[in-house]
Amino acid sequence: MADGIHKAEDLIRQATGGNVPIYHHSGAAQGAEDASEEEGIGRRIYKNLMNGVSHMLPFVIGGGILIALAFLLDDYSIDPANFGKNTPVAAYLKTIGEFSFGMMLPVLSGYIAMSIADRPGLAVGFVAGLVAKSGSTFANPAGGDVNAGFLGALFAGFAAGYLVLLLKKLTEKLPQSLNSVRPMIIYPVFGIFAGSVVTTLINPLMGMINDGLTNVLNSMNGTSKVLLGMVVAGMQSVDMGGPVNKTSYVFGTSQLAEGNFEIMAAVMAGGMIPPLAIALCTTFFKNRFTQKERESGLVNYLLGLSFISEGAIPFAANDPLRVIPSCIAGSAVAGGLSMMFGCTLRAPHGGIFVLPTIGNPFMYALAILLGSVAGCLILAVLKKPLKNQDA
């Protein structure tokens, strides 16, 4: 690089004169070697799962918010049994929302399978996810007998992906002239059939697990319920958008389909706390932060109110030992209070902007406020005032 700047004329003369040594590549770079190393099993499973979850979330968020708006705009007094579809506008919103929300499990399963087996896995995963969603059994292929739900679709996606990989392995010895038959006939026909059979076999077991989990959650009250709210909310602040955060969020969204709306409320409250607690701390305890951090703190008010936990990441990265425990504590307070107050949430995103669709909205807002203040005060105690030159 330095020769190119200071000895440009010499280099040009050398290049045009043909007196240039030929470069011979000695092998792959260390970075490429590292990249080519096989991933661990746990890492591969997580990557495949996150591929399904990331494609699923837009359907869940869009459908969930539309359904919540349908309840907000409907008239309960017309027909309580048909609440959400009593008026034309509400009926339309709820119907479209249900279409979107109903895609959650097939999309999850399909994109898990696609992550494992590439494009041939997509159709197989989609159909296996639909089989899980319908709760099909061999006694009743039309479904409706069991509730395989989220866990069933999760298993269906992985089963579909690895079945397609198996088909690829079994057919790799076919003559080259038959290569076009594999993606057009063998993968979709045999893959969809095999994936559906395996999912149908496992549906009753997944249904038992789902029903058991739902019964446990529904039977929770008092201290156990508050503790659950504290745990799922606190998980939101562990890595703020990372695996632990996503695990908590996916658990909350999966319970929406089961009718457990309190868990989603606690999860969203927990996810709103990290940016809000930091924003409050940068406002009321300015001497703990640099000028740049105080300016960034203002943006966190909006991010926190919008349920975007990632706004806290720069602060957590700079001072993880103080910021992360403070945020976890604040989130746990908010989640526990949300459960204690019996707050519910049908929309899986939106933050404070879907407050009208929240059950017991004033107490929910209070839970978020108290959790934010708790996180702010703990962070203020843990962080020491900066010296003048640092500030």
Side-chain angles (χ1 to χ4, degrees):
M1 181 69 73
D3 287 348
I5 296 172
H6 302 293
K7 301 178 182 179
E9 291 183 8
D10 294 341
L11 289 174
I12 293 172
R13 194 178 304 110
Q14 185 180 12
T16 54
N19 186 25
V20 181
I22 299 174
Y23 172 73
H24 297 281
H25 184 54
S26 60
Q30 182 64 40
E33 291 174 1
D34 293 341
S36 66
E37 290 181 4
E38 289 211 11
E39 294 177 301
I41 294 176
R43 176 63 186 167
R44 287 204 303 271
I45 291 174
Y46 173 73
K47 185 182 74 174
N48 298 332
L49 174 61
M50 283 299 107
N51 189 62
V53 169
S54 64
H55 284 89
M56 173 193 79
L57 288 182
F59 293 89
V60 178
I61 293 168
I65 290 178
L66 288 175
I67 291 172
L69 289 174
F71 286 109
L72 176 65
L73 299 175
D74 202 17
D75 188 346
Y76 180 82
S77 63
I78 295 175
D79 182 4
N82 195 39
F83 184 48
K85 292 187 175 181
N86 286 326
T87 63
V89 173
Y92 185 78
L93 287 173
K94 192 165 188 287
T95 300
I96 298 302
E98 286 171 348
F99 287 158
S100 177
F101 209 72
M103 292 294 293
M104 174 178 77
L105 299 184
V107 168
L108 171 71
S109 180
Y111 280 96
I112 288 175
M114 185 177 180
S115 179
I116 295 170
D118 210 358
R119 280 186 297 179
L122 185 60
V124 180
F126 263 115
V127 176
L130 282 169
V131 172
K133 179 177 181 288
S134 65
S136 298
T137 62
F138 290 116
N140 182 12
D145 292 341
V146 299
N147 174 28
F150 184 84
L151 292 177
L154 201 67
F155 176 87
F158 282 99
Y162 287 113
L163 282 171
V164 173
L165 285 184
L166 178 62
L167 285 173
K168 288 183 176 182
K169 190 74 174 174
L170 293 175
T171 58
E172 64 184 7
K173 301 289 187 181
L174 285 176
Q176 191 171 357
S177 59
L178 295 177
N179 271 349
S180 61
V181 174
R182 296 165 69 190
M184 295 301 295
I185 296 177
I186 294 177
Y187 298 154
V189 175
F190 290 96
I192 287 173
F193 177 72
S196 300
V197 168
V198 172
T199 306
T200 304
L201 278 172
I202 205 68
N203 271 349
L205 176 60
M206 294 296 129
M208 291 172 58
I209 296 173
N210 256 326
D211 291 341
L213 178 60
T214 301
N215 291 334
V216 168
L217 293 174
N218 287 335
S219 66
M220 279 185 168
N221 51 50
T223 304
S224 59
K225 199 172 184 179
V226 171
L227 182 60
L228 175 64
M230 294 177 69
V231 170
V232 296
M235 289 172 68
Q236 286 286 297
S237 289
V238 171
D239 50 5
M240 302 165 197
V244 178
N245 174 288
K246 285 291 189 293
T247 300
S248 168
Y249 182 73
V250 170
F251 177 62
T253 56
S254 70
Q255 290 306 303
L256 285 178
E258 307 299 328
N260 296 313
F261 305 124
E262 292 180 333
I263 295 173
M264 192 66 239
V267 168
M268 191 165 82
M272 294 169 69
I273 297 306
L276 290 175
I278 288 170
L280 287 174
C281 202
T282 58
T283 299
F284 294 101
F285 299 93
K286 295 181 178 181
N287 61 350
R288 269 79 168 170
F289 301 92
T290 64
Q291 177 64 30
K292 186 177 180 181
E293 287 175 330
R294 292 197 294 271
E295 292 171 357
S296 300
L298 295 175
V299 179
N300 272 338
Y301 281 111
L302 179 59
L303 296 176
L305 292 174
S306 303
F307 182 38
I308 301 176
S309 308
E310 287 82 353
I313 289 178
F315 293 87
N318 287 337
D319 193 2
L321 295 180
R322 294 180 179 87
V323 172
I324 293 177
S326 305
C327 292
I328 291 175
S331 293
V333 169
L337 289 174
S338 174
M339 280 289 200
M340 183 185 297
F341 297 149
C343 302
T344 59
L345 175 62
R346 295 175 182 267
H349 214 289
I352 207 72
F353 301 105
V354 295
L355 193 62
T357 70
I358 294 170
N360 205 358
F362 296 109
M363 298 309 290
Y364 190 67
L366 178 62
I368 293 171
L369 175 62
L370 293 177
S372 301
V373 170
C376 165
L377 293 177
I378 294 171
L379 182 57
V381 170
L382 294 179
K383 282 184 77 72
K384 302 303 178 186
L386 299 178
K387 297 176 182 179
N388 289 335
Q389 60 268 29
D390 295 331

